[in-house]
Amino acid sequence: MGGFFAAALKEDCIFDLFFGTDYHSHLGTRRGGLAAFDRKNGFCRSIHDIGNSPFRTKFSAELNEMRGNLGIGCISDYDPQPLLLRSQHGSYAIAAIGKINNQEELLREICRENRLHFFEMTSGEINQTELVAALINQRDHLVEGIRYAQERIDGSMSILILTKKGIYAARDLYGRTPVILGRKKEGFCASFESFAYLNLGYRDYREMGPGEISVITPEGVTVLAEPGKRMKICSFLWIYYGYPSSKYEGVSVEAMRCRCGAMLAKRDIMSREDADIVAGVPDSGTAHAIGYANASGIPFSRPLIKYTPTWPRSFMPPTQKKRELIARMKLIPVKDLIEGRRILLIDDSIVRGTQLRETGQYLFETGAREIHARPACPPLLFGCKYLGFSRSGSELEMIARRVIREEEGDAAEESVLKDYANPDSERFRMMQKRICERMHFTSLRYNRLDDTLAAVGIPAERLCTYCWNGEE
């Protein structure tokens, strides 16, 4: 995934740009970048690999060296950005967050018709932000180019473009990711995360609508393309991605997670007679667990503590075996809160199942008597088509799909998958039982989709639920 931040001020913006971008470090693990424009010195840009160290340590020099009153920054899971380009639109820097499913088709078309070339990265792939820029440059005007790129992309794409006169901000067509505007006396900012600008003195100005394109200057925000009516914002923002202090469409992440846990408890059969403590897998499982504990009356406890001094961010090694080891190393058990206890363990979700299984095993080895797992959302059955939160090669890496494959064969029909997504069906109950057995839990109960969406509290038709039920 990834996140971005932009600032347009009447004075130098680098301080705001540095810290506003840094506040998105939870959304990306590979690259960080800043670009700025100064009236005297022109454009400047810096990109660093942040795979092994936090954004701040890599960009501390830029805080003193860069200058400019307009700037954009990006934290990326994959692509180095922002890119600095020159085209018929003049020089500009661009950052883009999203996913392109039809990349090869677009590449062939652009290379054939325009005889362009693209730089390959070491992985053999191209930088998708470079492809976005190439699509934008197919049109004579930036706004037309941005809209053309978004319409041609199968997936989703939110974009920031830094020019000499202002910053163009474009939210993806169906608003799957947020773009939120802040305001203070010196100017304006645009941010993926709403909390990223609060400590910098900005206050909420407004959220951009789905498909909206606006230009931001120190003097104001001008809408260049009105937002569309259809919204499909990612539900997983509240479940997992979002930082606790953020809000999207006016809905607090932390408050939603507490509601979600409470709804999970009300559906469950567990009471103080059945479990000794409720615990969340840090960090995103914690608020879900607090909500569950408050609603059930089972005491909340912290038997697992996340070690943050040297693990402040989610660095992920390239191999699954090492990822599992890293996930375990970050969690330190408190034996006195575990030994002999019946633990009701809540995590945000189960994707492959490897990390939560390791966590459960860790608790058993430390002396837990029982582990009752309660994911805060339904089983993930479909790979994300829009944000690329997991770069797994196949949906069959998901534990739910592996169980379905064993029961139904390689090509389960859509109607069969829909039945597995129905929490009232026999297939669902069988799948839940098999996953519980594989993960060696005492019991396992998933949250229901209707309860998950009710915890968000905005109309269900405005939320993307594709990863759970396959509905566009």
Side-chain angles (χ1 to χ4, degrees):
M1 192 140 163
F4 55 41
F5 185 86
L9 303 182
K10 297 171 185 175
E11 56 189 35
D12 191 84
C13 74
I14 302 303
F15 183 91
D16 288 13
L17 183 63
F18 175 88
F19 285 102
T21 305
D22 179 55
Y23 270 135
H24 289 81
S25 293
H26 59 291
L27 292 171
T29 63
R30 298 290 185 87
R31 301 285 190 276
L34 301 174
F37 177 76
D38 178 68
R39 294 184 186 92
K40 181 179 179 181
N41 299 309
F43 288 94
C44 59
R45 185 198 63 161
S46 180
I47 295 175
H48 290 294
D49 185 329
I50 57 172
N52 288 300
S53 59
F55 176 92
R56 281 195 306 278
T57 63
K58 288 293 185 77
F59 282 88
S60 56
E62 279 78 357
L63 186 58
N64 298 314
E65 295 171 359
M66 293 181 78
R67 294 289 181 271
N69 72 308
L70 303 173
I72 63 175
C74 186
I75 299 284
S76 176
D77 234 357
Y78 198 63
D79 301 319
Q81 51 177 320
L83 301 182
L84 188 55
L85 306 167
R86 178 175 290 183
S87 73
Q88 75 271 24
H89 304 300
S91 296
Y92 65 85
I94 179 171
I97 299 299
K99 185 179 182 184
I100 304 175
N101 297 314
N102 58 335
Q103 180 170 286
E104 291 303 318
E105 172 192 338
L106 294 173
L107 280 171
R108 287 194 300 270
E109 179 182 312
I110 292 174
C111 291
R112 181 180 65 249
E113 294 181 2
N114 300 279
R115 299 190 178 185
L116 295 178
H117 68 271
F118 293 85
F119 292 102
E120 283 192 348
M121 295 186 290
T122 54
S123 62
E125 299 181 21
I126 69 150
N127 187 321
Q128 73 169 14
T129 303
E130 186 182 5
L131 177 56
V132 173
L135 289 167
I136 291 171
N137 293 338
Q138 302 301 300
R139 294 294 182 265
D140 293 332
H141 302 284
L142 267 179
V143 174
E144 292 176 1
I146 292 169
R147 178 60 78 236
Y148 173 74
Q150 290 181 320
E151 290 174 347
R152 291 300 315 277
I153 289 170
D154 174 16
S156 73
M157 195 59 60
S158 290
I159 303 165
L160 292 177
I161 295 178
L162 168 67
T163 72
K164 297 177 181 180
K165 295 182 178 179
I167 300 167
Y168 290 78
R171 188 173 178 182
D172 64 277
L173 285 180
Y174 298 111
R176 298 185 191 278
T177 52
V179 181
I180 303 164
L181 304 176
R183 180 182 187 178
K184 65 179 179 179
K185 181 176 65 175
E186 293 82 10
F188 294 82
C189 71
S191 182
F192 182 111
E193 293 285 30
S194 62
F195 78 90
Y197 52 74
L198 296 179
N199 288 341
L200 297 170
Y202 298 85
R203 291 297 174 259
D204 296 336
Y205 184 58
R206 66 176 177 87
E207 295 192 48
M208 293 180 64
E212 177 185 336
I213 303 173
S214 289
V215 63
I216 304 166
T217 67
E219 291 70 38
V221 178
T222 303
V223 177
L224 304 176
E226 294 289 339
K229 295 181 178 180
R230 189 183 180 204
M231 168 82 76
K232 279 292 180 181
I233 187 169
C234 173
S235 303
F236 228 67
L237 288 167
W238 288 276
I239 293 289
Y240 169 68
Y241 288 133
Y243 205 70
S245 50
S246 257
K247 61 182 179 180
Y248 314 112
E249 302 303 317
V251 178
S252 161
V253 170
E254 184 80 351
M256 179 275 173
R257 290 175 182 171
C258 286
R259 288 194 298 271
C260 192
M263 290 182 172
L264 183 57
K266 290 174 182 177
R267 291 268 189 186
D268 207 355
I269 59 173
M270 304 295 285
S271 69
R272 296 193 69 164
E273 302 299 318
D274 307 299
D276 298 309
I277 60 172
V278 177
V281 178
D283 288 316
S284 51
T286 301
H288 294 295
I290 291 171
Y292 190 108
N294 290 342
S296 67
I298 305 171
F300 172 77
S301 186
R302 293 204 302 159
L304 291 169
I305 307 298
K306 188 174 181 180
Y307 190 75
T308 58
T310 52
W311 296 106
R313 57 196 313 279
S314 297
F315 161 60
M316 283 295 163
T319 66
Q320 181 63 29
K321 185 177 181 179
K322 288 186 178 180
R323 284 197 294 268
E324 293 169 15
L325 178 61
I326 291 298
R328 179 164 175 165
M329 288 170 65
K330 287 191 292 187
L331 298 179
I332 310 299
V334 182
K335 188 176 178 65
D336 290 350
L337 301 180
I338 298 170
E339 195 166 28
R341 304 294 174 88
R342 298 167 300 171
I343 301 174
L344 204 150
L345 184 65
I346 300 183
D347 203 357
D348 52 76
S349 60
I350 301 177
V351 185
R352 297 174 181 87
T354 51
Q355 291 187 11
L356 190 58
R357 185 185 65 231
E358 287 278 330
T359 301
Q361 181 182 339
Y362 201 15
L363 290 169
F364 275 126
E365 291 171 356
T366 310
R369 182 150 55 105
E370 298 176 358
I371 302 292
H372 302 273
R374 299 295 184 266
C377 69
L380 292 158
L381 298 179
F382 302 89
C384 179
K385 294 171 60 176
Y386 305 107
L387 304 184
F389 76 87
S390 171
R391 286 187 177 266
S392 58
S394 169
E395 289 178 336
L396 292 176
E397 292 183 16
M398 298 175 176
I399 190 168
R401 287 300 288 270
R402 295 202 304 271
V403 169
I404 293 171
R405 183 184 186 184
E406 290 173 3
E407 292 296 318
E408 309 292 343
D410 289 339
E413 294 181 0
E414 183 178 346
S415 60
V416 172
L417 292 175
K418 294 285 187 184
D419 199 34
Y420 276 102
N422 177 7
D424 298 317
S425 72
E426 286 298 324
R427 280 190 169 110
F428 180 94
R429 284 188 280 272
M430 180 275 295
M431 174 182 64
Q432 183 171 254
K433 181 181 178 182
R434 295 286 175 83
I435 294 172
C436 182
E437 292 169 351
R438 280 180 174 229
M439 300 185 71
H440 309 299
F441 293 132
T442 309
S443 72
L444 169 67
R445 288 180 183 273
Y446 283 93
N447 204 357
R448 293 171 60 102
L449 182 56
D450 51 357
D451 286 347
T452 301
L453 300 186
V456 177
I458 67 176
E461 63 270 15
R462 295 177 68 80
L463 294 166
C464 180
T465 58
Y466 180 83
C467 57
W468 296 308
N469 59 13
E471 294 182 6
E472 300 284 352

